[in-house]
Amino acid sequence: MATVRLHDVRKVYDNGFVAVHESSFEVQDGEFVVLVGPSGCGKSTTLRMIAGLEDISSGDLLIGDRRVNDVEPKDRDIAMVFQNYALYPHMTVYENMAFGLKLRKFPKTEIDQRVRQASAILGLDAVLDNKPKALSGGQRQRVAVGRAIVRKPQVFLFDEPLSNLDAKLRVQMRTEISKLHAQLKATMIYVTHDQVEAMTMGDRIVVMLDGYVQQIDSPLNLYNKPVNQFVAGFIGSPSMNFIPGTIAMENGAPVFTNAEWGVHVVLNANSAYARGLTSGQSVTLGIRPEHLSLAHGPDAGFAATVDVTEPMGSETVVYATLGDTRMVARVEPNANLKTGDAVRLAVDPAEVHLFDATSEASLAMLHDELVAG
Ligand code: ATP
C-alpha cells in the first residue's frame, strides 16, 4: 500500500479552462479519502489525474515516494472502478476478473487463486460463469470491484461507483465497500457528489467547489466546524439554515438581529465566533435544523409560517418561511402542525455558526486562525 500526495496540482484543459486550481492534500497509507462537491467542482478531474487518465498541467503527484506525473497509467500500480463498471460483455465474470492479470502475463495458477479469493470476498462464487448481462446491477458493480482487487494495487480509485444503483442497493454497497476497505486495509480515494455517501464512508473528506479545495477534514469536523458557508450548507441533510443580519451590542453582549424578519438572537459571548465581533457588522447566521426548536410564548424565538411538515416517526421535519427564505427544523415527533400555521422557532445560541457576509468565511474559524497564527 502507499500514500498519495498532491502538491499544488493544477489542471488547465486545452480550451484554457482551469478545472483544478493549485490543489494539495495527502492520503495516508490505508486511508479512505472521499472527494466530494457539486457537479463541475473538479473532483473527477482530480481523480483522473491521479489515475494518469489526464495530464497534470503543473504541480507534483507522488504515489509512495515516486513522482508519477509522467508515469503511464498502467505503471502507476493503481486500479480504478468506474461508474459504468466497464465490464466486457462477451466475457464471463471469471474472465472479466482474470483479464487484467492475463494481459500482464501472470501464471494461470496465480490468476486462478486471485480470482477465487476476490470472488469469495465479494460473494460472486455462484455467478463466476455468468456473462454480465445475466447479473444484477449490484453484482456487476461487485465484478468491477473484483477486477480491481485481483490486481492487488497500491491504491484503489473509485469514480462515482454507486450512482447507477437504486437507492437501497446504494446503501448496501456503501457498507460493502467500507467493509472491504477494513478488510484490505488499502489506500482508497473515492469520488462522489453525494455528501451522505462521503460522510458515511470517508476517514477524511476533501470538499471541492469550482476547482478549489474548500476544506479537508473528518466527517464530524466538517459538520461541526465548517470553514465557510459553502461547506456548512453542503454537508448535512437537511441543510443548515442561513439568515442574513447585523451584529448589535446590547449591554456589552453581541446580538444577531434581522429587524425586518423579527429575528433577535443573543449570542454566546464566550464562543469563538463572538470574539472580535463589532457593532454594525454584516454577518450570516447559520443554524442546523436540529438546533431549532418550537418555542412557546409570544416573545420566545422568532415567528415563521409553516409550509410543509414531514412526520418521520422519530421526529417531525418542519419547513417554514421566514422573510424571503425557507427554514428547516427538526422537532419533536408529536408536533401537531399544518400548512399555514404560525410557529415560533427558538435557537440554541451555543450551537449557531456565524459567517462573514461578504467572504462567507466562518468567523469562529477565522478567530481560531488568528489565535493559531
Ligand atoms: P461531475 O460530477 O459532473 O462529473 P466533477 O466535479 O467530477 O463533476 P469534472 O468532471 O472534474 O467535475 O469537471 C470539472 C470542470 O472541468 C467542469 O466544468 C467540466 O465542464 C470541465 N471539463 C471537464 N473535462 C473537460 C475537457 N476535456 N475540456 C474542457 N473542460 C472540461
Side-chain angles (χ1 to χ4, degrees), residues 13 15 17 19 38-45 160:
Y13 279 111
N15 63 359
F17 183 76
S39 185
C41 71
K43 53 195 186 300
S44 296
T45 301
E160 303 247 9

Side-chain angles (χ1 to χ4, degrees), residues 13-331:
Y13 279 111
D14 290 343
N15 63 359
F17 183 76
V18 184
V20 177
H21 296 265
E22 283 67 15
S23 179
S24 299
F25 60 90
E26 188 168 333
V27 182
Q28 306 291 335
D29 192 13
E31 196 177 20
F32 195 124
V33 165
V34 180
L35 307 184
V36 73
S39 185
C41 71
K43 53 195 186 300
S44 296
T45 301
T46 303
L47 195 76
R48 292 170 62 81
M49 284 193 286
I50 298 171
L53 302 174
E54 290 290 351
D55 290 338
I56 296 172
S57 307
S58 61
D60 300 307
L61 171 67
L62 289 96
I63 298 181
D65 290 327
R66 189 164 67 127
R67 185 178 186 274
V68 296
N69 287 48
D70 302 316
V71 174
E72 288 287 309
K74 66 177 176 41
D75 299 324
R76 290 190 185 192
D77 207 359
I78 45 131
M80 185 148 166
V81 178
F82 294 93
Q83 177 175 353
N84 59 6
Y85 322 139
L87 302 180
Y88 299 107
H90 58 287
M91 292 185 191
T92 64
V93 167
Y94 185 101
E95 289 162 349
N96 262 288
M97 290 207 276
F99 187 67
L101 300 179
K102 239 178 172 172
L103 272 188
R104 288 173 175 77
K105 310 241 180 308
F106 274 67
K108 255 196 164 137
T109 49
E110 173 81 17
I111 295 178
D112 191 62
Q113 192 209 342
R114 288 195 186 193
V115 169
R116 291 192 187 280
Q117 206 177 10
S119 155
I121 291 174
L122 296 164
L124 291 170
D125 288 350
V127 295
L128 277 178
D129 295 329
N130 292 11
K131 300 262 173 72
K133 70 173 184 308
L135 303 179
S136 69
Q139 285 171 326
R140 283 179 207 173
Q141 187 54 62
R142 266 180 236 140
V143 178
V145 173
R147 219 169 34 178
I149 292 180
V150 295
R151 303 251 317 275
K152 299 192 178 172
Q154 294 215 59
V155 181
F156 286 83
L157 305 178
F158 295 89
D159 192 3
E160 303 247 9
L162 306 185
S163 41
N164 286 343
L165 304 178
D166 66 47
K168 195 167 166 208
L169 203 52
R170 220 159 45 218
V171 173
Q172 190 186 332
M173 285 301 291
R174 216 153 74 187
T175 323
E176 285 189 23
I177 292 177
S178 292
K179 264 175 25 197
L180 188 72
H181 175 246
Q183 205 171 348
L184 300 176
K185 297 185 173 55
T187 308
M188 294 185 173
I189 308 178
Y190 187 105
V191 160
T192 179
H193 62 273
D194 179 344
Q195 61 89 23
V196 177
E197 218 165 276
M199 291 291 277
T200 51
M201 298 176 81
D203 293 324
R204 281 189 310 146
I205 300 172
V206 179
V207 184
M208 295 184 69
L209 176 68
D210 296 340
Y212 288 95
V213 171
Q214 303 288 308
Q215 186 167 5
I216 306 172
D217 221 324
S218 65
L220 284 187
N221 274 348
L222 284 181
Y223 191 82
N224 294 321
K225 295 181 169 185
V227 295
N228 60 30
Q229 208 175 316
F230 168 73
V231 175
F234 188 75
I235 300 288
S237 177
S239 294
M240 187 184 279
N241 298 291
F242 297 114
I243 307 175
T246 313
I247 296 299
M249 292 294 166
E250 292 179 7
N251 307 321
V255 175
F256 171 88
T257 61
N258 178 323
E260 194 187 337
W261 297 355
V263 182
H264 184 272
V265 179
V266 180
L267 298 170
N268 187 341
N270 295 322
S271 293
Y273 64 69
R275 283 165 235 159
L277 286 179
T278 53
S279 189
Q281 188 175 350
S282 293
V283 295
T284 303
L285 183 70
I287 315 161
R288 293 255 177 232
E290 62 271 31
H291 299 137
L292 281 171
S293 56
L294 295 176
H296 303 285
D299 297 326
F302 51 84
T305 310
V306 174
D307 293 326
V308 181
T309 60
E310 292 176 349
M312 308 295 284
S314 57
E315 65 184 9
T316 303
V317 180
V318 180
Y319 295 87
T321 302
L322 168 75
D324 63 11
T325 194
R326 202 161 193 222
M327 305 292 287
V328 191
R330 297 169 62 180
V331 302

